[in-house]
Amino acid sequence: MQIATALSTDHALLTAGITAGLHRLLGPTTTGGGVRAVGFLRWAIVPFREMDAMGDRILAGKTVVITGASAGIGAEAARRLACLGASVVVVGRSPEKTAAVARQVGGEPLVADFTRLSDVRRLADTLLVRYPCIDVLANNAGVVLTRRSRTEDGHDVMFQVNYLAPFLLTNLLLDRLTTVGRARVITTSSNGHRFGSIDLDDLEGAGKRSELLRYGMTKLQNILFTRELARRTRGSGLTAMAFHPGVIAATDINREAPLVAALVRYRLLGGLSTLAEGAEPLVHLATMPDPEAVNGGYFHRLTPNGPVHRQATDDKLATRLWERTTELLGTPV
């Protein structure tokens, strides 16, 4: 009966659940028939639970803000969370794409270009005026670049879009997030963070020659930001999690990096995930019943405590990174 209900509610979710389960069942990361069977159940049942919950619209009355939601996994997550009853605020760079997704989910489109910190501040002001309660803030906007360029604020573009802008947005909304309801801050990181490293004297990665190394640095910064945010807000009701969505070809994140896009397309960075699979961790973290148990944690897709760079669990580094970031912004946030 539960599966039948899920099928009638959202056939796409069922397909995504089966696909994810079979991928883990047959994938090279498991050995032995028993382990493969457990892997299948573990990875497939979570989406099934979300499908079953859809009948109850468990996010009805909740407000979810998703950045980078005009395409890719952000747009896919917006559609799925709207099906769960959430009021979704669709934040994107393209006015046309952002409006199109907002129409699909019945939400409000807000346009913001994260290469301009003035846009981030204006976005925060708008959210604070229009939404007395923000239940989920999904920091999902991101980009990979092969050529270095600087924003009008004077920062490396990839560093600003991937890390500095979501850091600023979260902090500008922090009073609202910590005083009204039990909010969640979910940040899209990447398994690519393991290629990165953080130097507090070179936050923007000027000394890193490869775009993959600089991208990995920003994704590692996302994980440490999540860890420190959880520490600083502990006891407030806010919870923070970061996740790796998988390697996804059908996304705009590599729009300015043809080399990286080619590596992804030809599976040289690992097996590919669909958009539906890529959105699963975000949906899961937005709906899981006890986020406090994983507060500050990093998920490798749906698996908590996934493999991480050695710096990703350094609490002192997380604190110093936060402090250095506020200094870089030039004003307390």
Side-chain angles (χ1 to χ4, degrees), residues 14 75 82 286 292:
L14 177 62
E292 186 63 42

Side-chain angles (χ1 to χ4, degrees), residues 108-187:
E108 179 180 13
L110 292 178
V111 176
D113 185 343
F114 278 14
T115 65
R116 293 192 291 264
L117 293 182
S118 59
D119 273 24
V120 177
R121 295 181 185 278
R122 184 168 59 251
L123 171 63
D125 289 342
T126 300
L127 290 169
L128 290 172
V129 168
R130 298 185 186 177
Y131 297 95
C133 180
I134 298 172
D135 299 282
V136 177
L137 171 62
N139 290 315
N140 175 69
V143 68
V144 181
L145 299 175
T146 54
R147 293 183 179 180
R148 295 175 188 264
S149 57
R150 304 198 78 76
T151 69
E152 64 182 37
D153 303 289
H155 304 295
D156 176 80
V157 170
M158 191 153 56
F159 168 78
Q160 180 166 316
V161 172
N162 293 359
Y163 170 66
L164 194 62
F167 178 94
L168 176 61
L169 178 62
T170 303
N171 276 276
L172 292 173
L173 299 176
L174 200 53
D175 283 347
R176 180 69 47 86
L177 293 168
T178 55
T179 57
V180 181
R182 301 180 67 82
R184 307 180 191 202
V185 176
I186 303 169
T187 300

Side-chain angles (χ1 to χ4, degrees), residues 67-68 73 114 138-145 156-167 186-198 203-205 208 210-227 241-246 251 253-254 260 282 296-299 307-309 311-313 317 321:
T67 68
I73 65 172
F114 278 14
N139 290 315
N140 175 69
V143 68
V144 181
L145 299 175
D156 176 80
V157 170
M158 191 153 56
F159 168 78
Q160 180 166 316
V161 172
N162 293 359
Y163 170 66
L164 194 62
F167 178 94
I186 303 169
T187 300
T188 305
S189 181
S190 170
N191 188 46
H193 83 273
R194 292 196 290 170
F195 297 113
S197 62
I198 293 175
L203 288 188
E204 304 194 23
K208 292 178 170 54
S210 163
E211 68 271 14
L212 287 178
L213 294 179
R214 290 191 296 116
Y215 174 76
M217 176 197 72
T218 66
K219 297 291 103 177
L220 179 56
Q221 288 167 337
N222 290 153
I223 293 175
L224 287 170
F225 157 71
T226 296
R227 193 176 186 90
M241 295 83 72
F243 71 94
H244 166 57
T251 178
I253 191 171
N254 299 320
V260 177
L282 200 164
Y298 167 74
F299 279 64
V308 293
H309 187 281
Q311 288 185 315
T313 56
L317 179 62
L321 175 63

Side-chain angles (χ1 to χ4, degrees), residues 33-112:
V35 175
R36 288 192 173 114
V38 171
F40 172 79
L41 291 173
R42 182 182 183 188
W43 290 84
I45 284 176
V46 170
F48 289 161
R49 286 175 178 165
E50 291 168 0
M51 287 184 294
D52 180 52
M54 287 185 66
D56 297 327
R57 294 177 63 82
I58 58 171
L59 294 182
K62 303 292 186 181
T63 297
V64 177
V65 177
I66 307 179
T67 68
S70 59
I73 65 172
E76 181 68 18
R79 288 187 281 266
R80 294 174 67 172
L81 292 169
C83 286
L84 292 168
S87 296
V88 180
V89 182
V90 180
V91 180
R93 188 173 63 111
S94 163
E96 296 79 13
K97 291 181 179 180
T98 303
V101 175
R103 284 193 297 271
Q104 292 175 4
V105 304
E108 179 180 13
L110 292 178
V111 176

